[in-house]
Amino acid sequence: MRTTRRESNEIQVDPVDVLPVKTLDGKLHFRTVTKKSKLAEADPEEAEEDVLEDEHILNKSQRRAKAKRVKGGKETRDGSEVKELSAEESFENKKNRLAELGMLLLSDPEANIRSLKEMLDISKDENAKIVKLCLLSVLAVFKDIIPGYRIRLPTDKELEMKVSKEVKKTRFYESTLLKAYKSYLQKLMAFERQSVYNQVANRCICTLLDAKPHFNFRDNLLTAVVRNISSPDEVVRRLCCSTVRSLFSNEGKHGGELTVQAVRLIADQVKSQNCQLHPNSIEVFMSIRFDEDIGKRDREEANKKKFKKNDKRNNQEEQNQVQENERKKSKREMMSKIRDEVNADYKGVTYEPDAMERRKMQTVTLSAVFETYFRILRKTMYSIGESSTEEEDTTLNPGAFGPHPLLAPCLDGLAKFTQQLDLDYIGDLMNYLKKLASSSSVSTNSKKKNSKLLTVSERLRCCLVAFKVMRSNLNALNVDLQDFFVQLYNLLLEYRPGRDSGEVLAESLKIMLCDDRHQDMQKAAAFVKRLSTFALCFGCAESMSALVTVKNLLQRNVKCRNLLENDAGGGSVSGSIAKYQPYATDPNLSGAFASVLWELNLLTKHYHPAISTMAGSISNMNTSQNQTFLSAVTPQQAFADYSLVKESFEPKNESRKLSNKRKREWW
C-alpha cells in the first residue's frame, strides 16, 4: 500500500485503495489514517528505509528488495519482523515446496507450467542436498509431462496468423515447456563438470535419454552420454553403457536414428583417444541387432495384394459381370484415398522409417562398427611392431586401461558379426588374426616380458575368431588353419591358471579340437599327448576340460588309441617320426605315436574322484572297438562345473585315520 506522509501522525491512503470525496468546488479530499512511528524502536538503517518508503512511492527495485526480505524470512508483508529459520527448517520448507510444485505440475501441467521456473530456481541453492533433490524432482516432472512428439515452435508467419484461444494456450504451454527443458539441460551440463553433482547429473541425463529419446535436444543428451561412456567413475560408466545398450535394443522409440549417431560418436571417440578407452565402450556394440530381412514382410504383403487384384480381374472376365455404377466407383476411390492419407499421416507420426531408410541406416551402422574394429586391430599390430623394435625401453606406458584394452571386446564383436562382413575383407581379417596370434608376451632375444605384446588369452581369442569366421563362411572361403593349430599347441605350455582365462582356453579346446571333424592323425595324437601332460600340471577345472578333450579325440580317431598300449618298446611306432619330441613347436613334427599315455596312470590316483574316474575310463578304451558315440560333456561345461568358484569338493584326510590305527595297534 503506497502512502505519503502528511503530518507526524497521519498518512494519506493510496487513492487506489480508498475512493476520495469530491466537494462542490471540485476538489478531491482523501481520507487519512493515523499511524504510530516506529523510528525510535527500530534500528537506524531500517528507520531510514521506512522513512523513504513513507515519503516516496516505492519503485520497482525497492519492491524487489522488500520481496526478497519477505521471502528470506526477515520481514513479512505487513512489515513485522520474523525470526530466521534454522538450516533444518529451511531444508524442510524447500523440500516441501518442491513436493507441492511437483504435485501441481503433475495434476495439471498446462495450468501450472509456470511453476517449472520456480523449481529450477531452487537449484541455485548453496546446499548440495537441496540441489540434488531439485534435479531429481524436475526429472520426475519432465518424465511425466513431456509429450510423445517433438515440439516445433511456430514461425514468424504462423505467429502473425489469427488462431483460436486453445491454439494460443497450447503454443504458450509448449514454448514454456521447451524453454524450461532447455534451461534444465544447461544446468545438468554445468553440474556434470562438478565432482559433487557428477553422478546425479549423469543419472538425470541418462534417464531422460532412455525415457524420451524422441524429444528435443536428444543430440545433446547423446553426446554427453557417449562422452562419459569410458569414465573412470564406475557408477557413471555403467549408467552410460546401460543407456546406450537400451538405445540399441529399443530402436522402436527413436526409429534407429540414435543408433547411427551413437555408433558414429563412439567411433570418433575411439579414433581421438587412440584406442585407449575402457572395454565397456566397445562392448555396447554387442547389443546392436542387424536384420537381414528388412522389408521382406512389406514385399510379401504387396505381392499378395497384386495376386488378389489379378484374381478378381480374372473372375470378373470369366463371369462377365456387369460393371459397377459410377457411384460405387467414386466411393471406392474416395475410400482408397482416405486410407492412403491415413497411412501417410501414421508413417509421419510414428518413429519407424521405411524399409529403404532402415536398410540404409543399418548399412551405415555396420560400416562404422567394422571400421572401429579394424582400427583397433591395426593399432594393436602397430603397437606390437613398436614394442619389438623397442624391447630395451622399459619405460613404456601401457595406458590407463592396459596395453590393449579394446582388443578383447573387438574380437568378440568380430566373432558375432562375421556373417555381415563382406567377403573382400575376410582375407585381410584372417591375416591380421594370424599375425596377432603368432605374437608372444616374451621376446625371443632378450627373454624379458614386454607389456605391449599380447597375452595368452588374447592370442587364444584370435584363434577362436578365425575358426568362427571360417565356420560362418565355410562355402566361400578356402583358408588353411594350420597356423592356428600350431599356436594352440604352443599356448598350452604358456598357459598359467591365475594369469590367463580358463574359460577362453576351454572354448578354444571345444571349437578347435572337439568340433573339428577333419583332423590329421599326427596332429590329433600330438594334442592328445600334450593335453594329458597338461592335465597333470594344473587344477581340477583345467585338468577336467583337458581330459574331456582327450576322450573326445580318442573316440573320433581310432588310430590314436594306440597311445594307450604300453609295450616294452615304448608304444606303437606307426608314425613317420620314430622318436617323440616333447618340445616341438609343430604338432605334425612331434612324433606323438612313438610315446604312450603314461600320464593317465598318475591321473587315476588323483585326489579328486571325478578326475581319477575320467582318467580310468580313458585308459580302459579298447583299440578294437569302433565307438561312434561321443561324450555329451564339453570342455566348457567341465571347466564351469569344476572351477574353484563352484567347486564344493573337500578331499578326505586319510592320514589321520591311518595314524589313529597305528596308535591302536601299538597299544
Side-chain angles (χ1 to χ4, degrees), residues 59-66:
N59 55 19
K60 196 172 183 179
S61 61
Q62 291 173 347
R63 289 178 187 173
R64 290 179 179 176
K66 190 172 182 180

Side-chain angles (χ1 to χ4, degrees), residues 422-437:
D422 193 357
L423 294 177
D424 297 335
Y425 299 101
I426 291 181
D428 298 334
L429 176 61
M430 297 298 289
N431 292 330
Y432 287 156
L433 295 174
K434 192 179 296 184
K435 291 179 181 178
L436 291 174

Side-chain angles (χ1 to χ4, degrees), residues 543-588:
S543 300
M544 198 65 185
S545 60
L547 289 177
V548 168
T549 308
V550 169
K551 186 175 183 180
N552 191 292
L553 290 174
L554 291 176
Q555 287 175 344
R556 287 179 179 272
N557 305 282
V558 181
K559 292 184 179 180
C560 293
R561 298 176 197 172
N562 294 328
L563 297 173
L564 299 174
E565 297 180 358
N566 192 9
D567 297 338
S572 177
V573 187
S574 60
S576 59
I577 302 175
K579 186 178 180 181
Y580 174 60
Q581 304 292 333
Y583 299 105
T585 57
D586 192 347
N588 293 323

Side-chain angles (χ1 to χ4, degrees), residues 209 213 218-219 222 247-248 254 256-263:
L209 184 61
R218 63 179 184 179
D219 297 340
L222 182 61
L247 291 176
F248 289 161
H254 51 83
E257 296 177 358
L258 288 183
T259 301
V260 180
Q261 296 179 12
V263 171

